[in-house]
């Protein structure tokens, strides 16, 4: 038993060192998106590539494989409560994946994506896909090489499966496609009914002038109210909103402001604060261990989408916050009733920008990207043809056609960062969130009454106990079933959307 404990300790010590190196890389990534001067892009790419190679070498060392094998066949320590087994399982899963990837590929992918993200920022500003196309071509080629190295092209392997697995462990393209199809089948009639409804909220309320400084103050107050600790985090500005969990006590949120579109920053901050609550709720003692991270990006998205939509866009939330909103934005909201404002922040209409999309149409944005990503990786779609394919998909699915690349295929940062396989986690997150919220209501009672009184800690603490502190002890599907008693289903999300939007639109 002593030998097993020593072996386990050696594994965790080695893993912690790699995680610390990774957190340095993460910190440089945050700086790249916020404060890095443009002239430093090439140097930063070299730094990121070097660190990525170091982390990869640490996590693929032969000694690490020996330790994992020894732990898989030896006795387990007493009183592990499943933590030992989960750490060994996750170490094996990660080790087997990473050892299939040559360090050269890891370093080159990191270098190229670091440079590509800087190029994406400029291409998006100028709405010029031609500027970004050479970088997307390099990234797609590297991701195809990665998929092949991971075995996604062998036998009956689906190349996209191995990329999806990086973000949603255990996820399969066919399973995602099946649940997306069921969700789409339920969404399309609802979208159509809302489009034909005579009763409509006044969404123009949201395009009045909302001064940037006041937005920052109000959004920060809301994030703190739902439990995000600014003692252990901060809020900055970036071209694309994100949350960066750098380690215990250091969680960075970013947003972007538009003085004539209130939801952009406010709901963006609530969304990223939801991610931040997950990062701040992880067990600090588990930092650096294989299970010290979030269960998956889909589970991560369940937290951000829950706080953004199920809480932040609820009538109860605005019963508490609307008086403060009117005081903060007297010119824009002074004559507007709370009910009118609630309707405006839940206005449903097809739109171009995913991060600003309403709850009902949002998942259609994800399904479009899911289809395009599969085609890019399989070779059915070439990067040069992305703008036309993107616009065709929007015309078919949402009935609108982007007028330019900035509101079309250049709106998201993910592909520039190599995140092919990432997008499905957003829609999975919506479904996870709905299912978790139903269970939270059963356990906590009248959540609406709590929100109306500004009491958000019961929900945050419930999520911390049932989701955050467990880290990656369970794979996402098992975690959801453990908490809710049921496998993932699209039905709770559809029920939530109908219960909320049918009354709003008089359906």
């Amino acid at each position: 038993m002593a030998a097993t404990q020593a072996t386990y300790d050696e594994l965790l010590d080695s893993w912690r060192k790699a995680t610390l190196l990774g957190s340095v890389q993460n910190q440089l990534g945050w700086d790249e998106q916020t404060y890095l001067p443009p002239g430093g892009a090439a140097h930063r790419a070299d730094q990121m590539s070097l660190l990525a190679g170091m982390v990869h070498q640490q996590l693929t060392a032969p000694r690490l494989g020996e330790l994992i094998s020894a732990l898989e066949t030896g006795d387990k320590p007493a009183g592990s409560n499943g933590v030992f087994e989960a750490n060994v399982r996750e170490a094996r899963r990660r080790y087997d994946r990473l050892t299939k990837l040559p360090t050269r590929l890891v370093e080159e992918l990191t270098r190229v994506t670091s440079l590509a993200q800087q190029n994406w920022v400029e291409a998006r500003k100028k709405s010029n896909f031609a500027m970004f196309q050479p970088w997307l071509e390099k990234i797609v080629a590297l991701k195809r090489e990665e998929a092949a190295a991971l075995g996604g092209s062998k036998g009956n392997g689906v190349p996209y499966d191995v990329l999806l697995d990086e973000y949603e462990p255990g996820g399969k393209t066919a399973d995602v496609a099946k649940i997306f199809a069921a969700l789409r089948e339920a969404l399309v009639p609802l979208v159509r009914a809302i489009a034909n409804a005579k009763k409509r909220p006044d969404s123009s309320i949201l395009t009045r002038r909302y001064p940037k400084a006041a937005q920052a103050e109000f959004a920060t107050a809301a994030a703190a109210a739902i439990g995000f600790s600014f003692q252990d985090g901060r809020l900055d500005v970036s071209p694309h909103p994100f949350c960066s969990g750098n380690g215990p006590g250091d969680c960075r949120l970013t947003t972007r402001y538009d003085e004539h579109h209130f939801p952009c920053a406010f709901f963006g901050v609530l969304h990223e604060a939801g991610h931040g609550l997950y990062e701040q709720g992880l067990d600090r003692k588990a930092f650096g261990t294989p299970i010290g991270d979030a269960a998956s990006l889909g589970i991560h998205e369940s937290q951000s989408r829950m706080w953004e939509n199920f809480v932040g866009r609820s009538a109860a939330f605005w019963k508490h916050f609307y008086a403060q909103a009117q005081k903060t934005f007297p010119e824009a909201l002074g004559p507007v009733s709370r009910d009118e404002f609630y309707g405006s922040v839940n206005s449903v209409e097809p739109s171009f920008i995913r991060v600003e999309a309403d709850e009902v149409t949002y998942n259609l944005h994800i399904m479009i990207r899911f289809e395009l990503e599969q085609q890019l990786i399989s070779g059915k779609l070439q990067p040069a043809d992305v703008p036309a394919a993107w616009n065709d998909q929007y015309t078919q699915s949402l009935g609108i056609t982007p007028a330019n690349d900035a509101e079309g295929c250049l709106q998201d940062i993910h592909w520039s960062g190599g995140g092919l396989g990432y997008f499905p986690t957003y829609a999975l997150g919506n479904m996870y969130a709905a299912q978790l919220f139903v269970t939270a209501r059963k356990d906590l009672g009248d959540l609406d009454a709590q929100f109306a009184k500004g009491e958000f800690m019961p929900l945050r603490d419930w999520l911390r106990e049932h989701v955050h502190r467990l880290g990656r002890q369970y794979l996402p599907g098992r975690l959801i079933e453990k908490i809710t008693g049921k496998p993932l289903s699209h039905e709770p999300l559809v029920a939530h959307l109908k219960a909320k939007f049918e009354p709003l639109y008089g359906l």
Side-chain angles (χ1 to χ4, degrees), residues 47 49 57 89 162 164 169 231 263 277 300 390 394 448 461 465 480 487 505:
Q47 291 176 313
S49 179
Q57 289 171 353
R89 181 202 73 220
V162 294
L164 174 64
Q231 177 67 28
L277 289 175
H300 227 311
W390 184 287
Y394 267 75
D448 289 334
D461 292 345
E465 175 188 353
I480 289 298
Y505 281 84

Side-chain angles (χ1 to χ4, degrees), residues 25-170:
Q25 183 184 359
N26 205 38
Q27 179 71 34
L28 289 178
W30 171 84
D31 177 74
E32 182 179 352
Q33 297 300 319
T34 52
Y35 294 109
L36 179 73
H43 178 59
R44 179 54 48 84
D46 289 341
Q47 291 176 313
M48 297 285 278
S49 179
L50 175 65
L51 283 168
M54 293 170 68
V55 172
H56 185 260
Q57 289 171 353
Q58 179 83 9
L59 291 177
T60 57
R63 176 59 179 165
L64 203 63
E66 294 170 3
L67 295 171
I68 296 169
S69 293
L71 292 169
E72 287 173 329
T73 57
D75 297 328
K76 68 178 182 180
S80 70
N81 295 320
V83 171
F84 169 83
E85 295 89 338
N87 269 321
V88 174
R89 181 202 73 220
E90 281 302 300
R92 168 59 70 192
R93 191 186 71 82
R94 194 68 180 158
Y95 183 79
D96 284 353
R97 181 183 179 90
L98 292 177
T99 51
K100 294 175 183 176
L101 300 175
T103 301
R104 169 203 57 79
L105 176 59
V106 172
E107 292 176 339
E108 180 64 4
L109 189 53
T110 303
R111 186 189 69 82
V112 167
T113 53
S114 180
L115 292 169
Q117 287 181 81
Q118 297 296 319
N119 180 275
W120 167 81
V121 171
E122 290 304 309
R124 181 174 172 272
K125 283 180 183 177
K126 297 177 181 178
S127 191
N128 185 346
F129 178 78
M131 289 178 59
F132 181 61
Q133 181 183 323
W135 292 100
L136 183 59
E137 289 171 348
K138 292 177 183 178
I139 291 167
V140 170
L142 288 168
K143 296 302 286 188
R144 287 174 180 167
E145 184 180 348
E146 178 184 339
L150 292 170
S153 300
K154 296 178 181 178
N156 295 322
V158 177
Y160 193 78
D161 275 358
V162 294
L163 301 182
L164 174 64
D165 184 74
E166 174 68 14
Y167 305 106
E168 198 66 13

Side-chain angles (χ1 to χ4, degrees), residues 199-405:
K199 181 182 178 183
R200 309 200 69 79
D202 181 6
S203 60
S204 69
I205 293 169
L206 305 178
T207 59
R208 297 171 183 176
R209 185 171 180 270
Y210 296 84
K212 177 181 173 181
Q215 285 193 56
E217 177 185 348
F218 187 52
T220 299
I226 66 172
F228 182 79
S229 169
F230 283 94
Q231 177 67 28
D232 301 303
R234 55 181 291 130
L235 175 64
D236 293 275
V237 176
S238 69
H240 193 93
F242 67 93
C243 168
S244 180
N246 295 330
D250 186 3
C251 182
R252 316 288 180 94
L253 313 181
T254 73
T255 194
R256 61 188 182 203
Y257 295 95
D258 182 340
E259 292 201 332
H260 291 281
H261 192 242
F262 173 80
C264 180
F266 184 78
F267 290 109
V269 169
L270 280 187
H271 179 99
E272 301 307 335
H275 283 304
L277 289 175
Y278 198 165
E279 292 295 319
Q280 292 181 344
L282 291 169
D283 184 356
R284 292 192 177 200
K285 294 179 181 178
F287 174 76
T289 67
I291 65 166
D293 294 325
S296 73
L297 276 182
I299 299 296
H300 227 311
E301 284 301 322
S302 77
Q303 305 304 285
S304 59
R305 299 292 288 176
M306 184 183 296
W307 288 103
E308 175 192 356
N309 293 323
F310 290 77
V311 180
R313 282 189 165 91
S314 69
F317 182 89
W318 291 106
K319 283 182 181 178
H320 175 69
F321 271 107
Y322 191 61
Q324 184 177 344
Q326 281 186 307
K327 184 178 179 180
T328 306
F329 309 105
E331 291 184 12
L333 298 179
V336 177
S337 73
R338 187 180 70 221
D339 287 345
E340 288 173 323
F341 183 76
Y342 169 67
S344 71
V345 298
N346 286 290
S347 177
V348 175
E349 53 187 293
S351 59
F352 298 109
I353 307 300
R354 173 188 62 84
V355 296
E356 298 170 7
D358 58 79
E359 284 186 83
V360 179
T361 62
Y362 180 91
N363 294 294
L364 298 177
H365 290 257
I366 301 306
M367 293 172 193
I368 289 171
R369 289 155 176 77
F370 176 57
E371 291 298 326
L372 294 177
E373 285 192 342
Q374 292 177 74
Q375 293 173 26
L376 280 170
I377 295 302
S378 69
K380 292 180 181 178
L381 175 66
Q382 298 305 313
D385 300 322
V386 163
W390 184 287
N391 291 353
D392 286 346
Q393 287 269 21
Y394 267 75
T395 303
Q396 293 172 22
S397 295
L398 290 164
I400 55 176
T401 305
N404 55 63
D405 294 335

